[in-house]
Amino acid sequence: MHRSFTFLTWAALLCTAALLALGLVLPKWLLFMCTMAFANGLVSLGIVLLMRGGVVAFGQGLMSAIGGYTAALLFQKMGITDAIVLTLVGGITATLLTAPFAPLLSRYRGIFFSMLTLAMSMVGYGILVKTERLGGSDGFNLGRVSVLGQALSDDWVGYVLYAVAVFFACLMSYLSRIYFDSTRGLITQAIRENELRVEYLGGSVRHTMALNFVLAAFMGGCGGALAVMALGHIDPNFSYWTTSGEFVFVAILAGTQSVIAIMLSSVILEAVRSFSSAYFPNTWQLALGLFLMFVIRFLPLGLGSLWSPKSQKEQEA
Amino acid sequence: MGLAVTILIDGLTYASWLFIVALGLTLVFGVLKILNIAHGSFYALGAYAAATFVGWVATMKWAPGWSLVAMLLAAIAIAVLIAPLTERGLLRFFYGHDEVLLVLVTYALFLCMEDITKLIWGANPYYVSEPYSLFGNVEIGNQIYVGYDFLLVVLAVVVGVAVWWALNRTRQGKIVTAVIHSPEIASSMGIQVSKVYMHAFGVGVFLAALGGAFTAPMISVQPGVSVGVIILSFAVVIIGGLGSIEGAAIGALIVGLARAFAVHVVPVAELFSIYVVMAFVLMVRPEGLFQRIQARKI
Amino acid sequence: MSSSLLLSARHLQKQFGAVVAAHDLCVDIEVGQRVSLIGSNGAGKTTFVNMITGYLKPDQGSIHLGDTDITAMSPRQITRLGVARSFQIPQLYPALSVMDNMLVAMACHDNQLSMWRSASQPQHIERGVELLERFGLIQHRHRRVSELPGGVRKLLDIALALTGSPKLLLLDEPTSGVSAEEKFPMMETVMHALGNEPLTALFVEHDMDIVRRHADRVIAFYSGRIIADDAPEQALATDDVRRYVTGELRQEANHA
């Protein structure tokens, strides 16, 4: 768990390079699927951040919607087409719009936190559906993005979007890993185990959870912007609670110990989704539900627990 | 004046079916400590079953009044078939776990039931409109209201009184109350807690299905109905307080009236007015309007 | 206020419905004292500790730490002023290792909670190792807390409280839940570990042998009132204490 900084940096660079190289040989549909997986994986990363603090956020869909609508609006109304800029601004907007709620949300735990975030997500949905200027329930479209000033040709747009998604996913995962191992990150885990003792040791549950919420909002916003650019379209469903539920599903599948597990779980979800919609369109949700039950029952700590070091039992030998 | 009456009646009608459904949700939470996301799915099952049963009444050319009986039977059938299966076959393996974990299990169940319903009844909407015209129309002021809506109000009152009476005035009710307060102590007094859980869950499912069955004539019964219902039910029980009958009633009234107000006066706000109220209550008084708080002991 | 006075509680009143948990309590604690709080269950010892540490607010009265009025402060604020407590039921982080528990304590106390500075900083690990060794827990450093036996968990609970180098340490029944043979050695370990630190300690205790051995002052509670406040030998010899705490004298029939 406490790997060195240099090791982490090299691991992150290698991962990024490997994924970029891999992208060059993948077929277009798989590139698209992975782009969506990494975009959604970012949103789920936000949920994991909060889960490490012991709360399950059912409202990340709102963050992803804010990021997505921001990106789409900037593209349509202000002609900003750079993918990296759009992603960052999407993340920042989501953070700024929801940061005022962070101190409030940090007071809640358990079911109430989940319900409050769910309510926020549904308020967002309600507003988006009824706002005609944002396209109402149909949402609106986004054209082709550019990167670093370069326009993108038909052949390359899929790969470049994939590359941008890979870049953000690896960067955020790397930073998250450092954050998990930091003093703030450790206190987050302690809060999940025993909030009372954290307060009695001088730590602040509220400050830490508010920070986690803001970080999660940023990730959600970035993820939403990336997803919109890949899909070319955004609508209010991004903020519906069932969309938020899918992000929660990935977080549960991944567990809270490994950042790689999150991206992996997101890829698995996208793969199951693509496969199901092609062959079993009427049983996609059934498959998801059974899968979730299986994970909860037999792998409650998520995929990450399969390879993360358990409390160093091995070190005793 | 006419508008106020319309809002009142609309709100009351909406509150009625919502109260029946939310009562089931709050009961299950109070007894089993499970916040059941799949509760909306039981509502949908009730609606679909009612569509099927009422369809049979129509084909058999019985008097239209029988369709009401059919709807009631549909709700009972769903409760009898689905409740034991769900509670004994799935939920009991997760008792004692973190409450949010149980929410996730019910979420998984909800996902499964969405598709199971589609597999059984298909994806096309069902219309069960015959019962809706059973009670003719009522004129109040200058507005015409459908008589069926008032049936819903009556049903809600009957259900509310029945549940309250059962819980507070019968021996079984006292046993259930004991389990609500403390399953461990109840168990040590010889109460079979698992049986209480089973029956409470059964009643919860019945109430959801009942709400679904009797609302079926007013909506188009199609995939996705459960999703909206569960969100509304959550709003009601959060506002009213988890585990409280009075809370479910007041919460349903608040939600019903807020929605009616929005629909008639501020249509843009229709969808999110309810969630704003819910979020507001969560912020100001998270335990709801009628709830006791438990302190953590060190 | 004289410079050797660390904690001053004045006219503390606390009622829970009809139960008076604290009635006009006045207590002054000097720096460096080892004070034992004794009394039967429900006498008001834990309520007193809870009021000092901010878990409860007194209905009336005030508490001062040095010159600072801490009566209305939150547990977190009081902890940051140098008051630490251990718990009757150990409050630990079960899924984390013993060492991680200590690192959490140090991170909490750390004024610069960082988003990137590692929780396993060398100086934190050093202090953690030092404390664990003092409490005889170093061999468990990598074990998960949920796997530890009761006595070890109690010691860890106290070690956590010490990480912040508090001025005032409150131990709520440090030897409760520990088997009879283990009580004495455990208290020896705790007191020995405290010996190095310049701190004042209050401990709630039921075992009078331990009280005689480790306290230089005894405060006895009964029904929310203080019935004795003296050196151990004197306090334990008073009739009230012998009647209402140690049970050596029989109580009158109409006293509950």
Side-chain angles (χ1 to χ4, degrees), chain B residues 124-185:
Chain B
N124 292 322
Y126 282 74
Y127 297 100
V128 204
S129 47
E130 309 85 48
Y132 200 44
S133 44
L134 265 178
F135 295 91
N137 294 333
V138 175
E139 189 172 333
I140 298 182
N142 281 329
Q143 294 280 73
I144 313 266
Y145 299 97
V146 184
Y148 188 87
D149 291 349
F150 295 101
L151 169 72
L152 273 180
V153 179
V154 170
L155 189 64
V157 171
V158 167
V159 165
V161 169
V163 172
W164 180 89
W165 190 83
L167 214 53
N168 290 302
R169 293 275 181 271
T170 65
R171 191 170 165 276
Q172 275 73 16
K174 299 266 195 302
I175 292 177
V176 173
T177 311
V179 173
I180 291 177
H181 280 273
S182 171
E184 292 93 26
I185 296 183

Side-chain angles (χ1 to χ4, degrees), chain B residues 76-97:
Chain B
I76 296 176
I78 293 296
V80 164
L81 284 170
I82 305 293
L85 209 68
T86 311
E87 197 265 334
R88 291 282 101 193
L90 176 71
L91 292 175
R92 72 174 165 123
F93 297 110
F94 297 95
Y95 287 158
H97 280 88

